[in-house]
Amino acid sequence: MTVAGRQRNDEPILHVEDLRVTFRTAAGPAPAVRGVSFDVYPGEALAIVGESGSGKSVTMLAILGLLSGASVTGSARFRGTELIGLEPSRLREIRGANVSMIFQDPMTSLNPVLSIGRQLTMVMRAHQPDLSRSGARARAVELLDRVAISQAARRCDSYPHELSGGMRQRVMIAMAISNDPEVLIADEPTTALDVTVQAQMMELLADLRRDHQLALVLITHDLGVVAGATDRIAVMYAGKVVEYGSVEALFADPGHPYTRGLLECLPRLDIRHEVQASIAGVPATPMSLPPGCPFSPRCKYAQPSCSEAEPVLAPHGQTLVACSVLTGVAGSR
Amino acid sequence: MKRYLAIRVAVMPLLLLGIASIVFIVSRLTPANPLVSIVGERNLTNPTIVAAAKARWGLDQSIPVQYAKYMKNLLHGDLGTSFTTRRPVLSDLWDRLPATLELTTAALCIGVLFGVGLGVLAARHRNTLIDHVARFFALLGSSLPAFWAGLLVLYIFYSRLGWLPGPGRLDPRATEPGRITGFFTVDTLLHGDLKSFKAALLHLILPASVLGWGVVGIVSRLVRASLLDEFSMEYIKVARAMGLRERTIVNTHALRNALLPTITIVAFTFAFLLTGAVLTEKIFSWPGVGNYAVEASRKLDFPAIIGVTILGGVAFLVTNLIADVIYAIADPRIRLS
Ligand SMILES: Nc1ncnc2c1ncn2[C@@H]1O[C@H](COP(=O)(O)OP(=O)(O)OP(=O)(O)O)[C@@H](O)[C@H]1O
Ligand SMILES: [Mg+2]
């Protein structure tokens, strides 16, 4: 099959289908994720990009059962095991052991009153009860070394406030890989870091992927980060995937006007920018979804029919695009 | 940190002198006449007796002179002589302090143990029946007057059920253990007298529970609130994402942070109870500082009043210092700065 630029027959390690998340808020139900589907194959890297509020984080949190106050429907299968609705204790065993997640802000992601080593060993012992204290500690030092923290043995006894943001994110990564997971979800892992550190972090993630056959789901709103680091991309807007395809195809021939908009926002070396470009208009929010295509109010190519029915993903060029103008496939009402 | 603590300790005597001065001046400015309790109402009209008493207690001198004398004595560790017991105030306090310390320590242990437990329970089951019951229990503890709660538990557990002994530190006819620490529960053990130890411990339960109940109220609400604060922190979400057990997340991750503000409150409560456990000591005939303070203020026994106040000041300063040290040990961000 050639769906979204893949030509492999192996089973996806993570299979997400028609995932929907609706928050119960004081102002009524807020549909933050509205039918998202994607696959992650062993060892592969998938990027999920989109503006703030498009539902990237909520999608991942829902898969891991980390949302409260939300109704989650649809399916997310890890190696065939359905995660949605799985009993909490089973889900806990999978989190951090098979599927790990790291977050945007390394400054607040670690407990300020526990040492780095303690926090690392806690994560290991949560999934490997037989691991001795000394064994866990030795492994913690090894892991810190692996994520390129110098003087790992000494750093083990450090507290988070003694480390820089970049080092803390490395510690987070060490934690996330401490139980040899097969999937690592990284939610904007570099956003809070200096530009130079960002590059190092992406390099580290690439190394780990190669060495551990780790599948990576990289959430970002920066398409620039995506190019060298991932195999495929899912572009999200207003709780839906609006374009899905291989990195090469999507960069070479973006279909959806939103994707094109994102690509135009990239700072390019060959063009001198006075102001950073951005897509005109404000992003749609769960509480204020326009009728039909949620992007139509901001779309340069919008037609009257666009606000009538919501488009569905359909092949266009090398990618799947949710735009009825481009694909000619009528949407659903 | 060490430097900071050294300064704190060095400033303490100055603060205490300040406290002593204020209490001294306030006591001399009150319109009440302590001679009433010194010589008795009948003798107030007898000028010879009054003059003799004034001279005996130094009340014939001007207030600045009295103040200077008092301060001079204070610097030598002399708190003056009580009008009523006619003994040095320091000895009076020294005799009564262990009873109060023992009661307060026991109350604090009960209060912190149950307070933290109840707070954790309430936070984990927030807005459920468990939370509401915990809130009601806490509210009751901190709003029931001690004499009411004291009488209630005495009635139930002593009069009706007979499970626990009545007022006092030991049975009325029992002899006190020879003083080593002054804590009956400790001294009986040190003397190897298990029977008396049991008696002392049983006598301690009711007053300590009444006093501790109030502490449970304060601590449980505080722990609940700060735990809920911690639950919304990013590192808790991370701990969940890493697959830690909920128990570990609460007890090791969240509670560690949530207990930090509790340390200071517990220290304050301890200092407060040292001189403020008046009603409980009264109901349970506990021969402690609280009882002494009541008597002293009833009789306008100025030296005793000032003595108790200074003791309260010392308690606040010392417990605060200890709280800061514990805080620094518990919070690495402070420890290393
Ligand atoms: N607990 C919640 N209750 C109600 N609405 C929520 C909650 N969490 C998220 N949302 C809403 O869901 C939508 C998607 O949020 P999400 O965090 O997934 O965005 P995102 O794509 O990750 O954006 P960012 O780039 O800012 O991280 C947003 O509109 C947000 O307001
Ligand atoms: Mg996000």
Side-chain angles (χ1 to χ4, degrees):
Chain A
M1 59 184 183
T2 57
V3 173
R6 277 199 67 89
Q7 291 176 324
R8 286 166 62 170
N9 304 318
D10 51 355
E11 288 287 303
I13 190 165
L14 190 64
H15 173 76
V16 178
E17 201 170 319
D18 199 28
L19 189 76
R20 291 168 190 270
V21 181
T22 306
F23 287 102
R24 292 179 286 273
T25 70
V33 176
R34 305 181 300 123
V36 163
S37 307
F38 60 84
D39 289 314
V40 182
Y41 290 85
E44 163 200 74
L46 170 73
I48 298 192
V49 298
E51 283 169 307
S52 188
S54 52
K56 308 180 295 289
S57 303
V58 169
T59 301
M60 293 306 151
L61 293 173
I63 292 171
L64 289 179
L66 291 170
L67 289 176
S68 56
S71 87
V72 181
T73 62
S75 167
R77 271 199 275 276
F78 169 76
R79 286 200 178 287
T81 306
E82 179 60 59
L83 302 180
I84 307 301
L86 188 64
E87 63 180 287
S89 62
R90 286 277 294 114
L91 204 49
R92 181 194 74 72
E93 285 168 11
I94 290 174
R95 283 201 295 259
N98 303 110
V99 184
S100 266
M101 183 159 179
I102 59 172
F103 298 91
Q104 174 174 346
D105 188 359
M107 302 316 266
T108 56
S109 287
L110 292 163
N111 188 334
V113 304
L114 298 177
S115 72
I116 302 301
R118 179 84 195 277
Q119 298 191 49
L120 263 166
T121 50
M122 275 168 79
V123 172
M124 282 182 260
R125 284 159 64 98
H127 298 287
Q128 306 167 52
D130 301 335
L131 196 62
S132 69
R133 247 170 221 286
S134 55
R137 188 183 153 97
R139 172 101 173 101
V141 175
E142 211 175 277
L143 281 163
L144 290 179
D145 205 47
R146 179 66 195 86
V147 296
I149 286 184
S150 56
Q151 296 178 292
R154 203 168 61 81
R155 285 294 178 200
C156 222
D157 298 318
S158 298
Y159 288 88
H161 68 98
E162 299 170 85
L163 307 181
S164 68
M167 280 212 266
R168 288 190 214 188
Q169 195 61 296
R170 285 172 195 273
V171 173
M172 285 302 307
I173 294 173
M175 251 189 215
I177 61 166
S178 63
N179 292 299
D180 284 320
E182 289 129 291
V183 182
L184 175 65
I185 301 168
D187 189 349
E188 305 193 25
T190 60
T191 308
L193 303 175
D194 289 345
V195 182
T196 46
V197 184
Q198 282 183 9
Q200 295 170 9
M201 209 59 62
M202 292 314 299
E203 212 167 294
L204 172 63
L205 285 174
D207 280 358
L208 291 173
R209 273 187 56 209
R210 204 178 39 243
D211 297 354
H212 299 261
Q213 287 82 48
L214 196 61
L216 177 71
V217 180
L218 180 69
I219 299 178
T220 175
H221 47 229
D222 181 1
L223 268 173
V225 173
V226 168
T230 59
D231 307 310
R232 287 182 309 133
I233 306 184
V235 180
M236 278 188 75
Y237 187 77
K240 281 204 164 177
V241 175
V242 295
E243 183 154 11
Y244 188 37
S246 73
V247 170
E248 301 81 38
L250 203 131
F251 271 75
D253 180 21
H256 201 287
Y258 179 61
T259 313
R260 288 191 226 166
L262 288 179
L263 284 169
E264 278 162 18
C265 294
L266 278 179
R268 283 171 53 182
L269 292 175
D270 51 344
I271 302 173
R272 218 177 277 279
H273 282 271
E274 291 301 304
V275 276
Q276 167 87 41
S278 69
I279 304 172
V282 287
T285 70
M287 301 303 286
S288 66
L289 284 173
C293 172
F295 187 64
S296 58
R298 299 170 73 186
C299 183
K300 281 188 272 192
Y301 314 99
Q303 321 234 322
S305 62
C306 287
S307 53
E308 278 164 20
E310 183 150 12
V312 292
L313 279 178
H316 171 263
Q318 296 286 304
T319 64
L320 295 176
V321 181
C323 174
S324 30
V325 174
L326 279 179
T327 62
V329 176
S332 60
R333 271 169 200 272
Chain B
M1 187 71 209
K2 283 216 183 78
R3 219 180 93 90
Y4 169 71
L5 285 182
I7 294 173
R8 286 277 300 270
V9 173
V11 174
M12 265 190 187
L14 291 177
L15 285 173
L16 284 176
L17 284 182
I19 293 171
S21 304
I22 291 170
V23 188
F24 183 90
I25 291 162
V26 169
S27 72
R28 295 304 135 123
L29 290 181
T30 47
N33 185 357
L35 282 172
V36 182
S37 53
I38 297 177
V39 299
E41 200 136 7
R42 261 181 317 125
N43 292 329
L44 270 185
T45 46
N46 185 331
T48 358
I49 293 183
V50 168
K54 274 192 167 170
R56 158 94 166 76
W57 297 102
L59 295 170
D60 51 348
Q61 283 143 336
S62 68
I63 289 184
V65 173
Q66 288 185 34
Y67 174 72
K69 267 193 162 168
Y70 186 84
M71 282 308 181
K72 189 173 144 250
N73 290 340
L74 189 62
L75 288 177
H76 292 92
D78 178 3
L79 291 173
T81 306
S82 159
F83 293 164
T84 41
T85 65
R86 319 258 153 162
R87 297 176 65 226
V89 170
L90 197 62
S91 317
D92 279 349
L93 289 178
W94 179 248
D95 287 349
R96 286 166 177 78
L97 190 58
T100 296
L101 268 180
E102 187 173 30
L103 176 61
T104 318
T105 309
L108 214 65
C109 290
I110 292 175
V112 171
L113 222 63
F114 285 88
V116 171
L118 205 63
V120 170
L121 213 62
R124 283 189 67 168
H125 303 276
R126 67 179 160 284
N127 300 332
T128 66
L129 186 67
I130 295 178
D131 188 17
H132 299 318
V133 170
R135 175 180 297 124
F136 181 71
F137 184 81
L139 197 72
L140 218 56
S142 42
S143 57
L144 267 191
F147 70 87
W148 202 88
L151 288 177
L152 186 74
V153 297
L154 270 178
Y155 175 72
I156 297 176
F157 295 101
Y158 170 56
S159 307
R160 295 304 301 231
L161 299 171
W163 289 355
L164 290 166
R169 296 181 82 186
L170 286 173
D171 298 324
R173 280 177 302 279
T175 45
E176 296 189 2
R179 174 162 173 165
I180 301 169
T181 64
F183 282 38
F184 281 7
T185 46
V186 177
D187 288 355
T188 48
L189 273 186
L190 292 177
H191 289 300
D193 183 354
L194 284 182
K195 228 181 102 214
S196 301
F197 168 72
K198 197 180 152 208
L201 194 64
L202 289 178
H203 274 86
L204 195 55
I205 291 179
L206 283 186
S209 303
V210 168
L211 212 52
W213 195 358
V215 184
V216 170
I218 301 168
V219 172
S220 68
R221 298 321 288 166
L222 188 67
V223 166
R224 178 190 182 273
S226 36
L227 260 184
L228 289 185
D229 277 354
E230 292 303 322
F231 284 169
S232 64
M233 295 285 176
E234 185 80 0
Y235 72 85
I236 295 290
K237 185 169 92 182
V238 171
R240 289 214 173 91
M242 296 293 171
L244 295 198
R245 281 182 184 80
E246 202 57 30
R247 190 156 36 90
T248 319
I249 292 174
V250 175
N251 293 352
T252 311
H253 269 300
L255 200 55
R256 275 283 181 115
N257 288 284
L259 283 183
L260 291 178
T262 317
I263 295 171
T264 318
I265 296 297
V266 167
F268 263 109
T269 310
F270 186 72
F272 173 75
L273 289 183
L274 272 188
T275 52
V278 176
L279 290 173
T280 312
E281 289 197 359
K282 197 93 211 147
I283 300 271
F284 289 92
S285 311
W286 204 260
V289 177
N291 255 330
Y292 184 67
V294 175
E295 287 308 304
S297 35
R298 251 164 36 106
K299 302 251 174 71
L300 293 179
D301 188 346
F302 286 155
I305 294 174
I306 302 174
V308 170
T309 314
I310 292 177
L311 176 69
V314 173
F316 264 101
L317 293 178
V318 171
T319 49
N320 250 309
L321 190 70
I322 294 174
D324 280 356
V325 173
I326 296 178
Y327 207 112
I329 292 171
D331 190 342
R333 287 164 295 186
I334 294 180
R335 190 191 314 161
L336 297 145
S337 61

